[in-house]
């Protein structure tokens, strides 16, 4: 996975970079999460989006609990090589709250996104939606 | 700018959150930069995208040097309220390298983005394109 031609990703002091997931078809920005070298390698090897949870301190595969996987069509890097863009096909919803995108609210609090599943039917009490988000607070 | 109805943004220990700028018309993801409370307030007050440079440790207005401003149509927050999405009208290019988007390369190094201006004609030697990026390395 480390061909000479690959862009060298500039991971931060914690070994992470932010990754934006965008729907490859509609262009909708779905979520932002963090990616380690291992998460990036797994993403490229499997074609399914992997991230690194800062709160749980572990690698996670999007959709492992919910089934709402992201099939990664392409990985892009920005000019500084310190941010990634995953172009994905999103099964179901990206957000653990049931919305297709995590960015379903304006800063004024208006809901503008589409709810596509019932989180209570997808996550049990134990996982509590943690699979698709990383609540740092 | 802090109406009761506004979503409370969860800035990190450095007082920042990442913000993704997306073209409101085309859906193209243009760049990711960081935003402080002051940058967010200035963005909402002026309708022009402001960010906070971690490398220069200062507030900056996108386009102040290049003229390639971002007119912000809407600010969205994600489910954890620790990432912002700016929906913008981008004048010229977002990237200091002359590309419309900072995400103009695949991780394999293939150029997939559109170059829309000549950076040598926009930035002088002194600013060296710093206005539109924040090189942390």
């Amino acid at each position: 996975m480390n061909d000479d031609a690959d862009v060298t990703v500039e991971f931060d002091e914690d070994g992470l970079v932010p990754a934006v997931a965008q729907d490859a078809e509609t262009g909708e920005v779905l979520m932002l999460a963090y990616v380690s070298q291992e998460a990036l390698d797994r993403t490229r090897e499997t074609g399914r989006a992997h991230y690194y949870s800062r709160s749980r301190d572990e690698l996670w595969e999007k959709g492992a609990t919910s089934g709402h996987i992201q099939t990664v069509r392409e990985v892009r890097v920005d000019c500084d090589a310190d941010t990634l863009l995953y172009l994905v096909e999103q099964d179901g919803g990206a957000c653990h709250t049931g919305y297709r995108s995590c960015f379903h609210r304006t800063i004024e609090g208006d809901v503008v996104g589409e709810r596509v599943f019932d989180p209570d039917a997808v996550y049990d009490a134990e996982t509590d939606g943690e699979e698709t988000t990383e609540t740092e607070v």
Side-chain angles (χ1 to χ4, degrees), chain A:
Chain A
M1 300 309 295
N2 289 301
D3 297 334
D4 289 344
D6 282 358
V7 176
T8 301
V9 177
E10 302 290 343
F11 294 96
D12 68 13
E13 64 271 21
D14 297 320
L16 301 174
V17 289
V20 178
Q22 181 182 30
D23 189 300
E25 283 296 328
T26 67
E28 186 174 21
V29 174
L30 299 170
M31 57 185 278
L32 180 141
Y34 293 83
V35 168
S36 61
Q37 180 69 65
E38 186 185 5
L40 176 58
D41 289 346
R42 292 284 286 277
T43 297
R44 298 181 71 192
E45 283 158 13
T46 64
R48 295 188 306 275
H50 289 69
Y51 300 96
Y52 192 88
S53 169
R54 297 179 301 173
S55 54
R56 298 193 315 272
D57 205 17
E58 66 180 20
L59 185 78
W60 59 281
E61 178 186 344
K62 176 81 183 82
T65 301
S66 65
H68 297 170
I69 65 166
Q70 294 174 340
T71 304
V72 178
R73 282 210 204 152
E74 192 171 289
V75 178
R76 294 190 186 166
V77 295
D78 77 345
C79 47
D80 295 331
D82 61 4
T83 306
L84 302 178
L85 178 64
Y86 283 177
L87 298 177
V88 306
E89 296 169 33
Q90 174 69 62
D91 280 15
C95 189
H96 73 291
T97 60
Y99 287 89
R100 185 152 175 82
S101 166
C102 292
F103 298 96
H104 55 266
R105 290 177 300 172
T106 68
I107 196 162
E108 293 85 7
D110 298 323
V111 173
V112 291
E114 181 191 5
R115 199 158 199 179
V116 291
F117 70 90
D118 174 4
D120 290 338
V122 170
Y123 303 105
D124 62 23
E126 190 182 353
T127 61
D128 195 29
E130 281 194 342
E131 182 268 336
T132 54
T133 188
E134 48 155 28
T135 304
E136 301 289 326
V137 291

